[in-house]
Amino acid sequence: MEQEFSIALELIRGRLAAGITQAEFATRMGTTQSVVARMES
């Protein structure tokens, strides 16, 4: 569980550092915003 939390935290940090929203990130990944939200939580 600790490893999963660490990955989610890095995902959030990277997205915020890039200055993009979950929706923008999802579009770049070819998925939906709800998938990104689930990955981050």
Side-chain angles (χ1 to χ4, degrees), residues 1-16 22 25 36-41:
M1 187 90 163
E2 182 179 326
Q3 188 177 26
E4 291 172 357
F5 178 75
S6 175
I7 293 168
L9 186 58
E10 288 303 314
L11 179 64
I12 294 166
R13 284 181 179 160
R15 181 179 61 75
L16 293 176
Q22 286 182 344
F25 188 57
V36 174
R38 275 185 261 141
M39 288 189 311
E40 289 185 352
S41 65

Side-chain angles (χ1 to χ4, degrees), residues 17-31:
I20 60 175
T21 65
Q22 286 182 344
E24 291 171 316
F25 188 57
T27 299
R28 293 179 186 195
M29 289 180 51
T31 190

